[in-house]
Amino acid sequence: MKTIPFILALLCCMAAQAQQYDESKVPAYTLPDPLLTLKGRKVADVLDWNHVRRHEILRLFEDNIYGQMPQDFDSIRFVTLREEPRAMDGKARLKETRITVYRMGKSVAIHLVLFVPNNISRPAPVFLLINNRGKNITDPDRKEKSPFWPAEMVIDSGYAIAAFHVSDLAPDNKDTYMNGVLQLYPEQLEADNGMKAIGAWAWGAARVRDYFKEERLVNPWKVAVVGHSRGGKAALWAAAQDQRFALCISNCSGNSGAALARRQFGERISRINSTFPHWFNNNYKKYNDQENELPVDQHMLIALIAPRPVYATNATKDLWADPTGTFLSLKNAEKVYGLYNLKSALPATPPAPDTAIEASILGYHNRTGEHDMTIFDWQHFIRFADIHFKIDR
Ligand code: GCU
């Protein structure tokens, strides 16, 4: 007798799922204009953007989605834990560093794994991964090698590669996320616009950038911050907040990452807030099923990174992350890049799967396959960085 309600529930669930992925069900929507100030004035130029509108938008994202980004701490220390000058059969130097940040008698420690190519004489440009998967993915001993962080391939391309694990900053769990950076900033836990896990991960990326400034092996002005999925949301937020990141790569970041919320396609705000209540601030919960009430949409997060290059990706079987919504987010950020006279080479409509748009300040591809970060993706990240960091081989 219990089977009938069960079948009904299953049918309802399947219908809801189909609707989630039905382009014809995307409602009509109007995106907030990144170039219209809160007072309704049109942004005139780059100065106006930087002095007025950029701050407004940053504040709107802090208050309504990601939370504040506290900048004050008492001190920061970098301790080399291990150094192997001839790692990876001699082609790279391995350096493991503990970055400890202190505030009001508390501290948080970030463990950084860094490989730097041995065959270049200048400080190396570097890819920094915000690692949201297993720590084994960035195995410093290289016994395990993962396409998610293909360190050998990146080293062969003349780049350094680094990674830290999100759990050092905020465990990815609704009951324990506060056992990291938030111990330094307990007041954030009280505030409706307080920092939560995604903000904490982005904060960690900024502390790694502090370390790169002191590390002569890497070029601190050529740091590409990279993240996949939830890590990709954090990478965008890190680059939006911290203008020292020279380039941002957001892989399959989807809802509350690179994809437009107002399309209501795939994952929605209500869903992300109920499954991951510890990712975004309390205010964000007000927008459950109310996407149109948000004073921002995700194209404005990309716009905050202007004039720096952004590369966003999707995978064809990952409709949950809304490939079209990601592409449209980039397209709608173009006008802010235009203030800097930077014209993107993105086509008017999404490119065919596996067609990478790299020679463009805003880059994109939609890889054939599943939600993941693969060698194909990294090949294009490297190409995109080569173009923007002007690296000739
Ligand atoms: C879930 C979540 C996504 C997130 C993804 C991931 O699917 O709904 O928002 O991007 O996990 O991080 O892998």
Side-chain angles (χ1 to χ4, degrees):
M1 273 299 100
K2 278 191 189 135
T3 48
I4 292 174
F6 175 75
I7 290 170
L8 279 176
L10 193 70
L11 286 175
C12 278
C13 182
M14 283 165 67
Q17 280 256 322
Q19 177 155 349
Q20 260 167 5
Y21 296 148
D22 184 346
E23 196 64 42
S24 72
K25 298 273 177 2
V26 169
Y29 60 89
T30 309
L31 293 177
D33 186 345
L35 294 183
L36 208 57
T37 68
L38 290 176
K39 291 192 176 145
R41 188 174 55 73
K42 193 90 193 145
V43 170
D45 51 23
V46 167
L47 267 184
D48 201 8
W49 164 257
N50 273 315
H51 285 132
V52 181
R53 186 58 174 151
R54 190 173 183 282
H55 293 291
E56 285 183 358
I57 298 177
L58 203 52
R59 190 57 38 80
L60 291 171
F61 275 107
E62 285 178 0
D63 285 346
N64 296 290
I65 305 183
Y66 304 103
Q68 300 172 53
M69 184 67 85
Q71 303 288 350
D72 65 301
F73 47 82
D74 297 335
S75 59
I76 184 164
R77 274 185 60 199
F78 313 120
V79 175
T80 306
L81 302 173
R82 175 180 176 197
E83 194 159 6
E84 305 275 351
R86 304 202 53 78
M88 288 183 182
D89 297 327
K91 68 182 175 191
R93 174 180 290 260
L94 163 68
K95 215 165 161 182
E96 288 183 65
T97 304
R98 186 169 57 228
I99 301 169
T100 313
V101 186
Y102 301 84
R103 183 181 188 249
M104 307 215 307
K106 301 265 185 199
S107 66
V108 66
I110 308 168
H111 183 120
L112 188 78
V113 179
L114 167 70
F115 285 99
V116 185
N118 274 333
N119 64 356
I120 63 170
S121 47
R122 293 182 307 265
V126 55
F127 287 96
L128 168 65
L129 175 71
I130 301 176
N131 183 16
N132 59 296
R133 289 216 176 153
K135 287 193 179 164
N136 56 325
I137 285 207
T138 64
D139 178 17
D141 296 319
R142 308 312 294 151
K143 292 204 178 83
E144 269 195 57
K145 296 193 177 83
S146 165
F148 195 81
W149 195 69
E152 284 72 9
M153 180 178 114
V154 172
I155 290 293
D156 289 342
S157 308
Y159 289 84
I161 183 163
F164 65 92
H165 198 264
V166 294
S167 60
D168 287 355
L169 285 312
D172 193 358
N173 179 298
K174 71 176 171 37
D175 300 316
T176 56
Y177 75 93
M178 62 295 278
N179 299 334
V181 184
L182 284 156
Q183 294 194 320
L184 274 59
Y185 302 103
E187 63 281 5
Q188 293 289 321
L189 291 168
E190 310 296 317
D192 284 336
N193 68 350
M195 172 200 261
K196 294 234 181 178
I198 300 266
W201 305 340
W203 184 94
R207 300 297 71 80
V208 175
R209 174 58 182 71
D210 294 343
Y211 160 67
F212 284 156
K213 168 105 193 322
E214 308 300 321
E215 172 54 77
R216 58 176 182 83
L217 296 171
V218 299
N219 182 343
W221 301 110
K222 289 193 175 168
V223 182
V225 61
V226 185
H228 164 71
S229 210
R230 64 198 73 187
K233 306 180 209 291
L236 287 167
W237 184 229
Q241 274 285 342
D242 190 335
Q243 294 179 287
R244 299 172 305 170
F245 287 112
L247 189 150
C248 179
I249 292 167
S250 179
N251 194 74
C252 296
S253 63
N255 186 277
S256 313
L260 292 177
R262 278 171 174 72
R263 278 173 44 83
Q264 305 177 17
F265 185 100
E267 185 171 28
R268 292 194 49 193
I269 292 173
S270 53
R271 178 66 187 269
I272 208 166
N273 275 334
S274 60
T275 322
F276 307 101
H278 59 292
W279 282 2
F280 307 102
N281 69 22
N282 298 346
N283 286 335
Y284 200 33
K285 279 65 179 180
K286 290 196 281 207
Y287 302 99
N288 289 348
D289 300 317
Q290 304 289 333
E291 282 85 352
N292 288 301
E293 300 304 313
L294 263 173
V296 289
D297 209 318
Q298 299 305 116
H299 63 305
M300 292 157 84
L301 181 62
I302 293 168
L304 287 175
I305 305 174
R308 294 162 292 149
V310 177
Y311 196 79
T313 72
N314 287 105
T316 53
K317 292 192 181 156
D318 183 18
L319 295 179
W320 187 237
D322 191 9
T324 303
T326 303
F327 177 79
L328 291 174
S329 209
L330 293 165
K331 281 303 281 180
N332 282 286
E334 281 178 336
K335 58 160 110 169
V336 176
Y337 283 80
L339 287 179
Y340 291 88
N341 289 324
L342 292 167
K343 205 170 150 14
S344 102
L346 292 171
T349 53
D354 303 323
T355 306
I357 314 293
E358 297 155 329
S360 171
I361 195 75
L362 294 164
Y364 179 78
H365 74 236
N366 189 17
R367 169 180 47 75
T368 304
E370 314 279 348
H371 180 71
D372 199 358
M373 189 153 71
T374 68
I375 294 292
F376 177 94
D377 297 318
W378 278 97
Q379 281 165 343
H380 293 289
F381 303 164
I382 292 170
R383 181 93 193 94
F384 186 70
D386 280 356
I387 291 167
H388 295 287
F389 289 161
K390 299 195 171 37
I391 290 172
D392 295 321
R393 342 181 166 279

